[in-house]
């Protein structure tokens, strides 16, 4: 113990500067200080002050040189700002420089306007308000001269192409479509306007036969038949390949129930997916006669293919425009649907989930942020709530690749639907079980 104390005391004794430094440096304490600073910072050899000791005069010369560099840098930035405003470009500096430290606050505000906009989620972000959640309703809008209108109800079996036909006629994605049945969960209104004519479509979920109604929610079961009651014309969409090669339980149920209606409105039959039965079109004639017997008010039969290559959609559009009757428009000419912006966002996200992952319907959505940013970008923060941790792993994917692809594709669709720049953030969460 005593030996350790002696060695520690020896290590703390003062250093002999006479042996540590040469005699030429030992004579000047300032030169000793400068020599240490020179080798510690490794200044450039081209520096005119490299061979000078750190005297008050050299420090003053160094200070004047730095101030001159600040002034030159400030002039360069001012010229860049002037040229960018003249040519309409934007500056994106990394941050405030030393030259901006002595700039007045009024000039600092002008320079900050060229910085990159902050698109991070606000600390007190709020979800979409009621105006964003409710359907769009326009009370006062200009009516054309001699306006005409017709309301079309579209019904049919699940996954026969009803929404695809509506989107093609309206030329906008107002109703999502995917390979999975019952993608459309409620009645969707779409609007086609041409000159003084307006066609309002009631796109409905696929009809569910009576024996399966107990397994579906009420809106999914009743939406089709409520639309028929509100419409002026009926459009029954049938799948060509299903008519020829599959059972027709749902189709039989549709026409049986249509035959029992008290108010039988005029109707049109659409045989869709014609491209799948090339050379077998004549086999569909027997079904036309059968359905006309069950619903006598059918006056037109058309054959279409809503997917590329499109067939018969031009004839269908002309036929529907010919059905209009004098009456005031329900929607302005620019409006394609009465869906709220939030509903369209949720539908597009759900559609991409079906397309990319074929995930079950147990994915719920919750909007946690709907923020208007200063640069005109709409930031949308959406939560995807699942029942099981395993489903969360599927949606997120390895290293987040799946959720990243989902976000990119959906952001493009939302921006096109809302006609504005969008910033989309998706977060997957597992629902907590409450006691």
């Amino acid at each position: 113990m005593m030996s350790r104390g002696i060695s520690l005391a020896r290590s703390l004794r003062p250093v002999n500067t006479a042996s540590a430094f040469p005699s030429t440096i030992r004579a000047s304490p300032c030169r000793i200080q400068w020599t240490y600073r020179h080798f510690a910072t490794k200044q450039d050899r081209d520096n005119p002050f490299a061979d000078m000791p750190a005297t008050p005069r050299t420090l003053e010369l160094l200070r004047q040189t730095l101030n001159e560099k600040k002034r030159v840098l400030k002039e360069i930035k001012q010229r860049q700002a002037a040229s960018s405003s003249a040519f309409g470009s934007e500056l994106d500096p990394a941050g405030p420089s030393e030259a901006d430290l002595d700039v007045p606050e009024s000039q600092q505000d002008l320079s900050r306007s060229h910085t990159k906009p902050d698109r991070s989620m606000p600390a007190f972000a709020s979800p979409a308000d009621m105006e964003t959640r409710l359907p769009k309703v326009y009370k006062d809008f200009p009516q054309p001269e001699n306006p005409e209108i017709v309301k079309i109800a579209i019904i049919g079996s699940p996954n026969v192409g009803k929404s695809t036909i509506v989107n093609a006629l309206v030329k906008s994605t107002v109703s999502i479509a995917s390979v999975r049945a019952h993608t459309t969960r409620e009645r969707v209104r779409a609007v086609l306007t041409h000159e003084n004519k307006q066609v309002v479509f009631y796109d409905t979920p696929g009809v569910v036969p009576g024996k399966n109604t107990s397994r579906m929610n009420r809106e999914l079961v009743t939406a089709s038949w409520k639309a028929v009651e509100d419409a002026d014309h009926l459009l029954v969409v049938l799948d060509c390949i299903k008519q020829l090669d599959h059972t027709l339980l749902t189709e039989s149920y549709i026409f049986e129930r249509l035959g029992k209606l008290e108010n039988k409105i005029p109707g049109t039959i659409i045989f869709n997916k014609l491209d799948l039965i090339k050379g077998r079109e004549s086999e569909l004639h027997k079904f036309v006669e059968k359905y006309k017997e069950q619903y006598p008010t059918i006056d037109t039969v058309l054959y279409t293919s809503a997917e590329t290559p499109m067939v018969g959609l031009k004839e269908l559009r002309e036929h529907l425009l010919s059905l209009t009757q004098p009456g005031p428009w329900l929607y302005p000419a620019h409006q394609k649907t009465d869906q709220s912006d939030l509903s369209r966002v949720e539908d597009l996200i759900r559609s991409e989930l079906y397309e990319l992952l074929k995930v079950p319907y147990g994915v719920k959505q919750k909007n946690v942020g709907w923020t208007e940013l200063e640069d005109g970008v709409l930031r949308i923060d959406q939560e995807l709530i699942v029942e099981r941790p395993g489903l969360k792993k599927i949606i997120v994917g390895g290293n987040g690749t799946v959720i990243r692809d989902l976000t990119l594709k959906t952001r493009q669709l939302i921006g096109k639907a809302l006609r504005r720049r969008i910033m989309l953030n998706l977060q997957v969460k597992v629902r907590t079980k409450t006691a």
Side-chain angles (χ1 to χ4, degrees):
M1 188 70 181
M2 182 64 67
S3 60
R4 292 184 180 179
I6 294 173
S7 60
L8 179 62
R10 288 177 179 176
S11 63
L12 297 177
R13 63 186 178 182
V15 179
N16 186 5
T17 58
S19 61
F21 298 96
S23 59
T24 56
I25 301 178
R26 186 172 65 248
S28 176
C30 295
R31 185 176 295 277
I32 294 174
Q33 181 183 3
W34 172 82
T35 304
Y36 173 77
R37 181 176 59 82
H38 174 73
F39 287 106
T41 58
K42 297 182 180 179
Q43 295 182 0
D44 188 4
R45 293 182 179 180
D46 297 333
N47 189 351
F49 306 102
D51 297 332
M52 296 183 183
T55 62
R57 169 140 181 96
T58 57
L59 292 177
E60 180 64 24
L61 292 175
L62 181 61
R63 188 179 297 107
Q64 292 178 2
T65 304
L66 292 177
N67 292 334
E68 179 67 18
K69 290 184 177 180
K70 287 183 179 181
R71 184 186 64 79
V72 174
L73 181 61
K74 180 178 178 181
E75 293 178 356
I76 293 175
K77 286 188 172 292
Q78 290 177 351
R79 288 197 298 267
Q80 290 178 348
S83 61
S84 65
S85 60
F87 291 98
S89 60
E90 292 185 1
L91 290 177
D92 188 15
S97 62
E98 295 181 358
D100 296 330
L101 297 178
D102 55 347
V103 179
E105 294 184 359
S106 59
Q107 297 183 11
Q108 288 183 10
D109 294 339
L110 295 176
S111 62
R112 288 169 186 167
S113 61
H114 297 284
T115 60
K116 187 175 181 179
D118 183 14
R119 295 179 180 173
S120 59
M121 186 174 183
F124 301 98
S126 58
D129 54 12
M130 293 303 297
E131 182 179 358
T132 308
R133 296 175 181 271
L134 294 177
K136 295 182 178 180
V137 178
Y138 295 89
K139 295 183 179 180
D140 299 326
F141 58 91
Q143 295 280 346
E145 186 178 356
N146 301 323
E148 297 183 3
I149 189 172
V150 63
K151 293 175 285 186
I152 307 291
I154 305 179
I155 67 173
S157 302
N159 204 20
V160 296
K162 300 183 296 296
S163 299
T164 306
I165 291 176
V166 171
N167 293 337
L169 293 174
V170 178
K171 297 181 180 180
S172 177
T173 307
V174 297
S175 185
I176 63 174
S178 72
V179 296
R180 296 185 65 89
H182 296 300
T183 305
T184 304
R185 310 292 291 179
E186 58 185 8
R187 182 169 70 176
V188 177
R189 292 179 177 86
V191 184
L192 168 63
T193 303
H194 178 70
E195 296 178 351
N196 66 324
K197 299 174 183 278
Q198 187 171 92
V199 180
V200 180
F201 297 98
Y202 296 152
D203 186 17
T204 62
V207 175
V208 181
K211 68 174 186 178
N212 297 326
T213 55
S214 59
R215 294 181 292 178
M216 302 292 178
N217 61 61
R218 183 181 298 274
E219 177 68 19
L220 198 66
V221 174
T222 61
S224 300
W225 307 111
K226 289 181 179 178
V228 174
E229 296 176 357
D230 299 336
D232 304 321
H233 192 86
L234 177 64
L235 206 65
V236 184
V237 182
L238 304 174
D239 188 339
C240 290
I241 193 67
K242 187 176 181 181
Q243 293 290 315
L244 299 179
D245 299 334
H246 298 275
T247 59
L248 304 176
L249 177 63
T250 306
E251 286 74 8
S252 301
Y253 172 77
I254 291 175
F255 284 95
E256 180 182 354
R257 183 159 180 174
L258 288 176
K260 297 179 181 179
L261 294 178
E262 297 181 359
N263 182 22
K264 292 182 174 59
I265 59 177
T268 299
I269 291 180
I270 303 296
F271 285 99
N272 195 31
K273 304 182 182 180
L274 188 65
D275 55 314
L276 301 179
I277 59 163
K278 291 182 179 180
R280 304 175 60 187
E281 293 84 355
S282 59
E283 300 180 24
L284 297 173
H285 296 326
K286 59 181 179 181
F287 297 101
V288 174
E289 300 300 329
K290 176 183 176 181
Y291 295 145
K292 283 187 175 182
E293 291 179 1
Q294 293 179 306
Y295 194 69
T297 56
I298 292 177
D299 51 18
T300 307
V301 179
L302 296 174
Y303 302 87
T304 64
S305 175
E307 295 288 349
T308 305
M310 295 184 179
V311 177
L313 291 182
K314 182 179 180 181
E315 292 78 4
L316 175 59
R317 185 174 184 270
E318 294 176 353
H319 169 65
L320 296 178
L321 290 173
S322 66
L323 301 176
T324 56
Q325 299 293 329
W329 284 3
L330 298 179
Y331 303 98
H334 69 275
Q335 189 171 355
K336 299 293 185 179
T337 180
D338 68 340
Q339 280 186 297
S340 64
D341 291 342
L342 181 59
S343 296
R344 300 190 72 179
V345 169
E346 293 178 345
D347 284 349
L348 291 172
I349 295 174
R350 183 160 50 89
S351 175
E352 285 302 311
L353 277 174
Y354 294 163
E355 291 293 336
L356 292 177
L357 303 174
K358 310 298 187 291
V359 297
Y361 299 107
V363 180
K364 306 296 182 182
Q365 296 188 44
K366 179 182 178 182
N367 178 259
V368 295
W370 191 280
T371 310
E372 295 282 351
L373 302 180
E374 295 180 355
D375 56 347
V377 176
L378 174 62
R379 178 187 171 108
I380 302 175
D381 296 272
Q382 202 80 356
E383 290 183 356
L384 306 179
I385 304 175
V386 298
E387 300 288 344
R388 307 184 309 274
L391 184 56
K392 176 181 178 180
K393 293 181 180 180
I394 294 175
I395 298 177
V396 174
N399 297 325
T401 55
V402 177
I403 191 67
R404 182 171 62 249
D405 294 342
L406 174 65
T407 303
L408 292 176
K409 292 183 179 180
T410 309
R411 179 176 61 83
Q412 295 175 357
L413 295 176
I414 295 175
K416 186 177 180 180
L418 301 184
R419 297 182 179 181
R420 60 178 306 178
R421 298 169 62 194
I422 299 296
M423 179 180 179
L424 178 64
N425 290 280
L426 300 179
Q427 186 177 9
V428 187
K429 291 186 175 182
V430 181
R431 175 177 296 175
T432 57
K433 295 183 180 180
T434 57

